[in-house]
Amino acid sequence: MTEPHDEPKETTPLLNPELTRRGLLAGAWAAFGAFVAGSLGASARFMLPNVLYEPSQRFKMGKAADLPLGVTINKKERVWVVRDEKGVYALWSRCTHLGCTPNWFPAESRFRCPCHGSNFNVDGDVVAGPAPKPLWRCAVDVTPDGDLVIDKSQMENRPGFRDKGSFHVTV
Amino acid sequence: MSLKELLLTRYFTLRNLFVGGNVVLVLLLAAAVVKDHRREWKGVQKEFYAREIKRLKEEKKASPDAAHVDKHLALLRGQGIKLRQLMVTALDRYDRCITCHLGYDTVLSPTQETVYDDPPFKARPSDIHRSHPADKFGCTVCHEGQGLATTARAAHGPVKHWEDPMRKGAVLEASCAKCHSNLWDEKAMPFTVNWRKGEALFQKSGCIGCHQIHGQGGPISVDLAEETADKPLSRIDFSFTGLSHEERTLENWIRLHFVRDPWTLVPGDPEGKHNDEPVPPSGMPFFNLSAEDADALTTYVLALGSDRIPAEFLAPAAPRPAPAYRNAVERGRAVYVKYGCGGCHAPDGTGGVRNFNYVNNTTPNLTKVVGTYTRPELQEKIEKGVSPVDKKDPRGPTPSLYMPSWKEKIKGPEMDDLLTYLFSIAEKDEDW
Amino acid sequence: MPSLQEAKDKLINSQIWRSMFRGGTWKDTSRDRAQHILGNVWLHLHPARIRQRAVRFTYTWGLGGLSFGLFMILTVTGLLLMFYYRPSVELAYRDIKDLEFAVSLGMFLRNLHRWSAHTMVLLVILHMVRVFLTGAYKTPREFNWGIGVVLLVVTLFLSFTGYLLPWDQLALWAVTVGTNMASATPFAGAEGPFSNLLGITNANDARFALLGGTSVGANTLIRFYVLHCVAVPVVAGALMIVHFWRIRKDGFSAAPLPGDAPEKKMEVWPNLVVREYIGAVLMLVFLIAWSVLQNAPLEELANAGVTPNPSKAPWYFLGLQELLVYFDPWLAGVVLPGVIMMGLMAIPYVDPDAKRGVGYYSVKERPFANTVFLFGVGLWFVLIFIGTVLRGPNWSWYWPWESWEIHKSLPPPSWSLVLVDLTDKAGVFFSSQKTPGLRIPGFLGIGAALAAAGGMIGAYFGAGLALPKLIHKEIPFRRALWVTAVASLFVGVAAKVAHVFLRHHDFIGKNISQFGPTEIAYVAVVLFIVVLMGFLLPQKFLRTSPQSPVQYVTTMLLLLMMLGVILKMGARMGFNIKYILSLPAINLNL
């Protein structure tokens, strides 16, 4: 049984007069809110892996300065590296029709696929045959040492986009 | 009343739906269980046990003292009807073939031989079976097929979405190449007859002149080892082949190259109807091989494929002895074969291989042409090549076949010997 | 010996029984029936009594309940499948093969799981349509409708993550296609507009976070497995709890009819419960029959080096994939789905009439709402149909009777109405791969191009927003329809005549080489639909509707955007117009 409170009782003096009950609670809630927000942020960061177990798609191909004009074939990595007046780009040697490896004919300036006859010009555009899309270009980079590095994990084949940035670097 | 009311008040009342629904539910579940329970391999196993038990009983009657017969009978009677599999962890293969082919189960059939003639009960061990015990190798590493399957159709194939149907006949030899690199050796590998026939055909026909094997060969067409032998089915255009869905296998597609005219399979677009420019038909000659020859060559090509086999399975092999040649002409002939010149210029050098829209229609006859060159001129011609070759109709497509530049590949003594050989087959001008 | 009834009574009144099942002998009074519902943990979500209208099967078709029932079936079958499935790239495919061949009832369970999943996606969509048509999203149920939209997305995501688990070619490439759209997110996607601003590459963008890597691989498989089996079902469960709670609290099914006539109420036990039970049983019958008769597909082992042609996403995403023909990935895959989701959630808040058409099928009373909503759902299913049935290798158009082995020639090149070249500083009109178009250099060109494109888009939206409100008198509808139809046809024919005169012009000849009856039809049909749905209908119904300006603008913007999709489709399919405005430098194309 509690007694009705008619008059305010004597309260003990506050240890810290600036810190009201409201202030303390607000501060505690703010801390909790910060904890929740921080946990969410930390969880989001947790979800982004730092190490990948994917095979490296980057490889080197000698010095950029040594690259001759025209088309250089790299059979092992399945790319053609093309050097023109503007710079260097790398084409993935895979026909966009059914995946065969076309051949380069310098006299006709054509990549010709032996499987169903698709023809690509040196930019990678389809000029004949059943291939539906232009050849893909891989990202190219030149290291400070002058090494040519090709990255097959980045690909582009849209006209306009493939002429810029890492898909057609100036050397 | 209307049809709807009639249906709702007479037939599809709540009570009927409730009772009917529950009854149908139980029946359907029973149907699912029954369907799952009835497997073809169960019948096969029952049949096998019945036959074996009958046979053993008769054997016992004939010689009542045979204790081993009793033991075998006890063993058979104790077996349940169950799935059986050969687990080959090293090869990542789990073959359930012995669920039906019980004659090859080492427990049920210790001699690996049965007296029956009808599949799947027929079992006749061969030397190869004996040297490749099933518990170490499994079945599918050689015979292919879908080891995980438990129905005949799915296990043997071809079935949709399983790209390695069972190999039968000559092409079975292609599996030997997975571990053995000496299929050429008649003494060490007496059984790979078709492979050797295929290799001989391959060399005679000069395939390596256009095709490559692991990067070595001519630049005109595809690499048979890297692109053809392991080609996924979704990359093959079967539309002109006329093969039924069941027949659409890699093996049949390869075989078609030898028995069908490649112009019918890859017709191109010579008049440029669907393209900006005309596209020539396939450059491959029409070999028109017999069925046996086609099988042999298919075996050879399939054997070029690669399976990831752990090192402990790879068989040691003696190196192939280099052939001995008596003179420069013979050496030169060997160079001619090595680089596949015969693929375009015919095995005997007389040419005559078709080349669509080429000004002379067919490849040059070396026996007639060589005589018009001096030795340095001929060497230069071979080193430079002729590309592109002249078109018959300038608006037509570029001919598929051309003379590659051999400068990087044929050098020094090989070039000398080749020239010697070519001049030896050239027609001599009678007036000389 | 005691009789059966006596024995039963003794059992039911024993201490053991009464400690588990409260209630004692069943007396079949109203009280007992009510108590059976209210005192049972599984059933007490129902009220004890319910309006008679709500009991009828044809009111809700049981769609919501069936969706939940399917979720339960999927949970049970999924749980059983988890005992045999290992989410690793070396083992997953083999485990599915084992389920097919070696596990008792493995194939059946797999089939049941898969067909239930497809059915659930379909039923959830139909449930949404039903709720709309009965006005059951109106006050006080707006928030529950929003929860429902989120549950729809959750259902699609559950189906999508599960799709990857068999690790066959279908799985790998469907998920590759589906997740590639995430990389088109503006700002947060490596291939989206403005990606270079924040240093976003494919090793740290939204797609990377989803896949756990730069491509769909072992990392993705385990991630999707955890999402599919644990994380998303927990989220779905939490949302369903709220969803069911709100249904109960907002008055259960069939809101009271206007007129305040007190309706007769029926007891939920057994009237509603037995109908729910029968619905569930019939659905199970259907699913079990389907699972016995048809096997779930399993293609070849996943191979990252071999892309099937065509590579199709799961059917419920094929509408999006088809949209990729008409819009860049960031629009088709990110913006449009986002707008659709937001638009759906906004419906209860733009609907001005909280009273009309709630609790029954008010098809005639809400003509505008019903027409526009059903049109949208219909358009969505048309896109799915096109993507599923009419697209073959290389995404070319194949009629259903055409074999996919027929070779189709390359499609004609596409062109942009306006292109802004920021690198070379120019504005280009009518630019395509085959013709350079009209090029105006310098900032003048850029300005002109942006003004033209902005003008077109502004005029479309501006006129669309203003016209229905500007014309104050009622237009006779039938006549307006005829006039529109004839006028659209006339415009089509006029365009054809113009083409006859212009076809020798380099641009027209190369980019719009033919103009036959199909092209006339494209112009006429698209114009007719856009004018009917975008002007005539709003003019008739929204002119006098009590919507606030914000509600009106929202409604019309959503409607105009939906019609914009149709305009884009017609422009692309009929005349190879790919972009209204193209800004290649910042990866932004409209």
Side-chain angles (χ1 to χ4, degrees):
Chain A
M1 286 289 283
T2 51
E3 287 167 343
H5 293 272
D6 297 316
E7 293 145 19
K9 280 195 177 152
E10 263 194 43
T11 51
T12 47
L14 290 172
L15 269 163
N16 196 347
E18 293 90 36
L19 187 63
T20 62
R21 181 161 176 267
R22 175 175 291 177
L24 180 71
L25 281 177
W29 276 115
F32 181 70
F35 170 72
V36 170
S39 302
L40 283 172
S43 304
R45 181 62 189 89
F46 170 81
M47 292 296 287
L48 292 173
N50 299 312
V51 216
L52 293 178
Y53 290 85
E54 297 167 4
S56 176
Q57 301 252 46
R58 294 166 61 94
F59 60 93
K60 287 196 179 164
M61 243 182 94
K63 296 277 179 203
D66 293 342
L67 199 67
L69 272 179
V71 175
T72 309
I73 304 173
N74 185 331
K75 232 189 150 123
K76 178 166 169 275
E77 298 288 348
R78 211 177 174 194
V79 288
W80 296 296
V81 183
V82 184
R83 185 178 188 165
D84 59 8
E85 323 86 47
K86 190 185 161 206
V88 173
Y89 58 91
L91 290 163
W92 189 23
S93 321
R94 189 179 173 281
C95 180
T96 52
H97 178 225
L98 286 175
C100 295
T101 309
N103 297 305
W104 167 242
F105 289 75
E108 296 156 62
S109 210
R110 282 268 188 281
F111 297 101
R112 292 170 56 183
C113 183
C115 289
H116 304 95
S118 296
N119 276 210
F120 304 88
N121 64 17
V122 74
D123 292 321
D125 288 319
V126 184
V127 291
K133 287 193 172 145
L135 292 172
W136 291 92
R137 296 194 187 188
C138 318
V140 178
D141 192 24
V142 182
T143 66
D145 289 338
D147 290 324
L148 196 63
V149 178
I150 297 173
D151 187 355
K152 278 159 74 178
S153 66
Q154 320 245 24
M155 294 228 185
E156 180 59 74
N157 75 341
R158 296 172 289 177
F161 296 91
R162 67 183 183 193
D163 301 311
K164 299 183 328 206
S166 57
F167 298 107
H168 198 160
V169 296
T170 38
V171 212
Chain B
M1 46 173 131
S2 71
L3 180 66
K4 178 175 157 191
E5 281 169 11
L6 180 73
L7 284 174
L8 282 174
T9 52
R10 282 279 285 280
Y11 299 105
F12 295 111
T13 61
L14 276 183
R15 165 162 293 164
N16 288 353
L17 283 173
F18 183 80
V19 171
N22 285 332
V23 167
V24 172
L25 192 64
V26 160
L27 289 176
L28 274 176
L29 184 66
V33 172
V34 165
K35 182 180 178 199
D36 178 74
H37 182 76
R38 289 168 58 179
R39 308 273 185 143
E40 55 178 65
W41 54 266
K42 292 186 181 178
V44 169
Q45 285 193 351
K46 285 193 189 128
E47 165 86 21
F48 183 77
Y49 295 145
R51 284 199 202 182
E52 283 284 275
I53 289 175
K54 184 163 162 223
R55 178 181 68 87
L56 287 168
K57 276 193 180 150
E58 276 165 17
E59 203 181 305
K60 194 169 166 193
K61 252 195 252 171
S63 56
D65 287 324
H68 70 279
V69 178
D70 279 327
K71 213 163 141 202
H72 201 170
L73 269 171
L75 177 74
L76 283 171
R77 285 202 178 103
Q79 295 296 321
I81 305 291
K82 60 187 183 209
L83 282 171
R84 312 176 90 89
Q85 69 180 16
L86 289 162
M87 215 172 78
V88 191
T89 324
L91 293 172
D92 197 28
R93 285 177 187 261
Y94 306 89
D95 296 337
R96 298 180 176 139
C97 322
I98 51 172
T99 303
C100 288
H101 294 277
L102 295 144
Y104 292 107
D105 182 292
T106 44
V107 170
L108 292 179
S109 181
T111 57
Q112 302 270 279
E113 184 168 14
T114 64
V115 302
Y116 312 113
D117 285 320
D118 53 327
F121 308 113
K122 178 175 178 185
R124 305 277 185 273
S126 70
D127 288 328
I128 301 184
H129 281 138
R130 276 188 264 269
S131 54
H132 297 68
D135 50 0
K136 184 168 177 231
F137 289 86
C139 313
T140 60
V141 68
C142 300
H143 289 278
E144 296 289 359
Q146 191 177 182
L148 288 169
T150 55
T151 63
R153 190 170 163 270
H156 301 167
V159 275
K160 241 180 138 192
H161 304 309
W162 188 260
E163 307 237 318
D164 300 308
M166 214 167 71
R167 284 181 178 168
K168 284 190 271 222
V171 293
L172 186 49
E173 293 172 30
S175 302
C176 308
K178 291 185 194 181
C179 302
H180 297 273
S181 56
N182 59 343
L183 271 65
W184 51 266
D185 194 339
E186 260 187 75
K187 278 232 265 305
M189 304 281 293
F191 299 103
T192 53
V193 176
N194 283 291
W195 185 92
R196 284 189 281 278
K197 191 161 154 201
E199 194 197 29
L201 274 167
F202 187 85
Q203 285 173 344
K204 183 179 130 204
S205 313
C207 310
I208 203 75
C210 289
H211 290 282
Q212 312 105 53
I213 295 180
H214 293 300
Q216 304 292 323
I220 299 181
S221 188
V222 295
D223 189 319
L224 294 170
E226 312 252 320
E227 291 187 38
T228 308
D230 294 316
K231 204 165 174 80
L233 285 182
S234 59
R235 290 270 162 275
I236 298 179
D237 183 358
F238 282 104
S239 55
F240 292 108
T241 59
L243 292 174
S244 73
H245 279 286
E246 290 268 297
E247 296 166 334
R248 291 181 181 197
T249 62
L250 177 64
E251 188 192 313
N252 284 341
W253 178 72
I254 294 177
R255 192 179 280 113
L256 275 183
H257 286 76
F258 310 133
V259 300
R260 220 48 104 67
D261 184 351
W263 277 7
T264 60
L265 297 174
V266 184
D269 181 16
E271 282 157 47
K273 286 203 198 118
H274 307 291
N275 291 282
D276 285 349
E277 343 180 311
V279 180
S282 169
M284 182 155 172
F286 181 20
F287 287 107
N288 201 10
L289 297 183
S290 69
E292 296 83 27
D293 283 350
D295 269 349
L297 203 41
T298 307
T299 307
Y300 180 78
V301 173
L302 275 175
L304 295 170
S306 56
D307 244 41
R308 278 216 297 269
I309 302 283
E312 66 258 30
F313 283 85
L314 296 176
R320 194 167 190 171
Y325 302 110
R326 289 173 298 182
N327 52 38
V329 170
E330 277 195 5
R331 282 200 303 274
R333 166 89 194 153
V335 173
Y336 187 85
V337 167
K338 176 177 172 185
Y339 292 99
C341 312
C344 288
H345 292 290
D348 56 2
T350 52
V353 169
R354 67 185 184 186
N355 194 5
F356 192 88
N357 202 29
Y358 175 54
V359 63
N360 299 331
N361 288 320
T362 58
T363 56
N365 182 340
L366 296 178
T367 62
K368 292 210 194 292
V369 152
V370 158
T372 64
Y373 286 78
T374 66
R375 202 177 168 95
E377 280 175 345
L378 186 59
Q379 176 166 349
E380 199 195 322
K381 188 83 179 184
I382 296 172
E383 282 176 351
K384 240 175 92 176
V386 184
S387 170
V389 297
D390 294 323
K391 289 192 204 182
K392 186 150 109 172
D393 174 3
R395 292 162 314 173
T398 312
S400 307
L401 299 179
Y402 63 96
M403 173 91 173
S405 139
W406 294 101
K407 193 158 125 185
E408 300 298 317
K409 295 190 178 150
I410 309 181
K411 294 191 271 226
E414 277 196 328
M415 177 60 90
D416 287 332
D417 291 334
L418 178 63
L419 292 168
T420 309
Y421 169 70
L422 287 172
F423 280 113
S424 78
I425 61 168
E427 274 178 8
K428 302 287 183 279
D429 198 343
E430 291 302 322
D431 289 340
W432 278 46
Chain C
M1 236 199 18
S3 75
L4 193 63
Q5 186 60 35
E6 284 170 6
K8 195 172 148 205
D9 274 338
K10 199 148 172 243
L11 175 69
I12 291 176
N13 287 300
S14 66
Q15 184 191 12
I16 297 180
W17 188 274
R18 289 194 77 125
S19 70
M20 289 191 276
F21 308 107
R22 307 187 297 170
T25 313
W26 178 255
K27 287 183 224 66
D28 207 25
T29 57
S30 273
R31 185 184 176 283
D32 266 9
R33 288 192 214 119
Q35 187 58 30
H36 195 64
I37 298 289
L38 298 173
N40 184 314
V41 67
W42 312 111
L43 291 174
H44 83 291
L45 190 67
H46 298 84
R49 301 171 69 85
I50 189 173
R51 279 177 282 275
Q52 194 150 354
R53 264 186 314 117
V55 162
R56 296 190 61 192
F57 181 68
T58 50
Y59 176 62
T60 62
W61 304 93
L63 288 165
L66 287 177
S67 301
F68 178 64
L70 280 167
F71 184 78
M72 292 279 90
I73 294 175
L74 284 164
T75 306
V76 169
T77 52
L79 182 69
L80 289 171
L81 288 169
M82 278 172 81
F83 281 100
Y84 282 97
Y85 172 82
R86 291 165 293 183
S88 118
V89 300
E90 292 84 13
L91 299 169
Y93 187 72
R94 177 170 28 123
D95 287 341
I96 302 284
K97 283 279 180 189
D98 272 352
L99 279 165
E100 271 190 50
F101 289 112
V103 174
S104 289
L105 291 168
M107 186 85 237
F108 172 72
L109 272 175
R110 185 170 172 244
N111 294 343
L112 189 54
H113 194 77
R114 193 159 197 135
W115 304 140
S116 302
H118 286 322
T119 311
M120 184 176 172
V121 171
L122 181 65
L123 286 195
V124 159
I125 294 174
L126 291 178
H127 172 63
M128 179 177 73
V129 173
R130 192 288 293 169
V131 169
F132 185 91
L133 293 179
T134 54
Y137 60 81
K138 303 200 189 202
T139 310
R141 298 177 173 86
E142 309 97 321
F143 183 62
N144 211 21
W145 168 268
I147 301 247
V149 173
V150 178
L151 276 170
L152 169 65
V153 174
V154 164
T155 306
L156 291 173
F157 194 57
L158 271 172
S159 193
F160 186 63
T161 47
Y163 218 77
L164 180 67
L165 302 185
W167 201 247
D168 65 345
Q169 281 288 71
L170 183 66
L172 179 69
W173 293 101
V175 171
T176 302
V177 168
T179 52
N180 275 349
M181 304 218 218
S183 70
T185 315
F187 296 106
E191 317 251 323
F194 313 119
S195 55
N196 36 9
L197 287 183
L198 296 172
I200 303 284
T201 67
N202 74 341
N204 63 6
D205 71 344
R207 179 172 163 270
F208 180 81
L210 182 63
L211 298 183
T214 59
S215 63
V216 177
N219 32 294
T220 317
L221 185 57
I222 184 68
R223 218 161 257 241
F224 273 33
Y225 177 75
V226 174
L227 282 169
H228 182 74
C229 300
V230 184
V232 184
V234 164
V235 169
L239 286 171
M240 279 192 284
I241 288 173
V242 179
H243 197 65
F244 300 158
W245 174 251
R246 285 305 303 257
I247 291 171
R248 180 74 172 84
K249 281 301 180 183
D250 293 336
F252 220 69
S253 293
L257 286 174
D260 279 325
E263 287 177 76
K264 197 161 148 236
K265 287 207 171 181
M266 294 183 88
E267 282 155 340
V268 166
W269 180 273
N271 298 299
L272 180 64
V273 178
V274 70
R275 283 168 171 81
E276 291 178 340
Y277 178 83
I278 289 173
V281 163
L282 290 178
M283 185 182 66
L284 253 183
V285 161
F286 167 70
L287 284 171
I288 292 182
W290 191 4
S291 305
V292 168
L293 293 172
Q294 187 181 15
N295 287 342
L298 186 68
E299 298 193 353
E300 298 85 0
L301 176 68
N303 184 345
V306 177
T307 316
N309 188 3
S311 270
K312 292 196 178 184
W315 67 269
Y316 40 86
F317 282 160
L318 274 174
L320 270 179
Q321 201 175 350
E322 173 63 18
L323 272 182
L324 284 171
V325 174
Y326 316 108
F327 297 97
D328 265 10
W330 67 279
L331 267 176
V334 182
V335 172
L336 272 173
V339 167
I340 292 173
M341 244 189 90
M342 294 295 135
L344 280 173
M345 290 207 262
I347 286 175
Y349 301 100
V350 299
D351 191 323
D353 194 333
K355 297 282 182 284
R356 191 164 56 172
V358 181
Y360 57 98
Y361 287 93
S362 51
V363 180
K364 287 222 168 63
E365 293 180 29
R366 301 159 55 214
F368 184 75
N370 287 332
T371 313
V372 172
F373 185 77
L374 288 174
F375 182 82
V377 174
L379 178 61
W380 191 249
F381 276 99
V382 163
L383 285 169
I384 290 180
F385 178 76
I386 297 177
T388 325
V389 175
L390 299 175
R391 292 289 185 188
N394 305 316
W395 215 255
S396 299
W397 191 274
Y398 281 80
W399 294 107
W401 51 86
E402 289 182 312
S403 153
W404 278 9
E405 297 199 333
I406 301 176
H407 296 125
K408 299 264 173 175
S409 43
L410 276 177
S414 53
W415 51 283
S416 310
L417 279 175
V418 174
L419 185 137
V420 173
D421 190 344
L422 288 173
T423 22
D424 291 338
K425 306 260 183 318
V428 189
F429 292 84
F430 310 117
S431 85
S432 85
Q433 257 199 310
K434 295 224 162 170
T435 52
L438 175 65
R439 192 183 184 83
I440 305 177
F443 287 105
L444 175 70
I446 296 179
L450 286 173
M456 272 190 288
I457 298 170
Y460 172 70
F461 281 102
L465 279 169
L467 279 175
K469 285 284 187 182
L470 281 179
I471 300 178
H472 290 297
K473 53 181 198 141
E474 183 165 343
I475 302 177
F477 201 69
R478 283 263 161 80
R479 199 184 313 164
L481 271 181
W482 276 111
V483 168
T484 312
V486 169
S488 306
L489 198 59
F490 179 75
V491 172
V493 172
K496 157 76 178 168
V497 167
H499 183 262
V500 167
F501 285 109
L502 291 171
R503 67 165 175 244
H504 295 296
H505 188 278
D506 188 44
F507 173 79
I508 301 287
K510 288 224 168 88
N511 292 304
I512 310 181
S513 49
Q514 56 181 29
F515 205 117
T518 332
E519 282 71 29
I520 299 179
Y522 272 116
V523 175
V525 169
V526 169
L527 258 184
F528 178 72
I529 293 176
V530 171
V531 172
L532 168 65
M533 298 292 299
F535 170 66
L536 288 177
L537 242 86
Q539 201 275 338
K540 185 174 164 78
F541 298 108
L542 294 187
R543 180 174 45 91
T544 49
S545 99
Q547 279 184 313
S548 76
V550 171
Q551 287 176 323
Y552 171 74
V553 167
T554 313
T555 312
M556 283 308 294
L557 275 179
L558 289 169
L559 176 59
L560 288 168
M561 280 196 267
M562 184 163 73
L563 294 171
V565 170
I566 299 205
L567 273 170
K568 259 308 205 113
M569 284 173 73
R572 183 75 158 104
M573 287 205 272
F575 306 100
N576 309 316
I577 302 177
K578 190 153 191 212
Y579 298 127
I580 310 291
L581 168 64
S582 171
L583 285 130
I586 53 171
N587 225 348
L588 188 107
N589 303 297
L590 285 165

